[in-house]
Amino acid sequence: MNTKLLATIFRWIARVIGTTLVGLTLFIAIGEGMPNPFTQPFVIQIGFLALTLVLSGILLAWRWELPGGIMSLAGWVLFIVAERVSLRHSAFFILLGVPSLLFLGSSFLRRYHEKHKSA
């Protein structure tokens, strides 16, 4: 398969999933009421920071895939470690990491295509 086409497919799947996750998270935060993160225990504050990194990275990756994907993936790993999430029981947390991997895959495939196109 053409690497440029595959990169485009990865990018658009990541955008759809990522935008859905950002929207769902904002919908829940508005509907439930966002607690003040500074009054929460330290571990919860780290979780808020990590979730902010994930969601901001997803939005950043719309324009800059590589930095946004790295930021989102770092936030996802921090979130999993801080909250001690068992990935066996939570599809949402697994799905939260998918857009960052797809954005990174798209970025690397586009770079590979550009490098080998000129050769």
Side-chain angles (χ1 to χ4, degrees):
M1 179 177 261
N2 184 353
T3 55
K4 186 175 180 181
L5 176 62
L6 189 59
T8 303
I9 291 169
F10 278 10
R11 180 174 41 255
W12 279 102
I13 291 172
R15 285 178 173 180
V16 169
I17 293 171
T19 303
T20 303
L21 289 171
V22 169
L24 180 63
T25 304
L26 289 175
F27 182 74
I28 291 170
I30 292 168
E32 291 291 321
M34 178 77 174
N36 183 355
F38 299 112
T39 62
Q40 302 297 317
F42 183 70
V43 174
I44 303 299
Q45 290 179 358
I46 297 296
F48 274 119
L49 172 66
L51 189 58
T52 302
L53 285 173
V54 170
L55 300 177
S56 299
I58 287 171
L59 295 176
L60 182 70
W62 269 79
R63 176 66 179 101
W64 298 286
E65 291 176 348
L66 186 61
I70 291 171
M71 182 177 172
S72 180
L73 188 61
W76 183 76
V77 169
L78 179 62
F79 191 81
I80 297 300
V81 170
E83 297 294 328
R84 296 185 182 122
V85 174
S86 171
L87 295 177
R88 264 182 291 146
H89 304 293
S90 183
F92 177 77
F93 293 112
I94 293 171
L95 193 60
L96 204 55
V98 169
S100 58
L101 296 174
L102 289 172
F103 279 126
L104 290 173
S106 173
S107 176
F108 291 132
L109 285 171
R110 280 190 316 111
R111 290 172 194 261
Y112 177 84
H113 176 76
E114 291 299 319
K115 184 177 181 182
H116 288 81
K117 179 177 75 170
S118 61

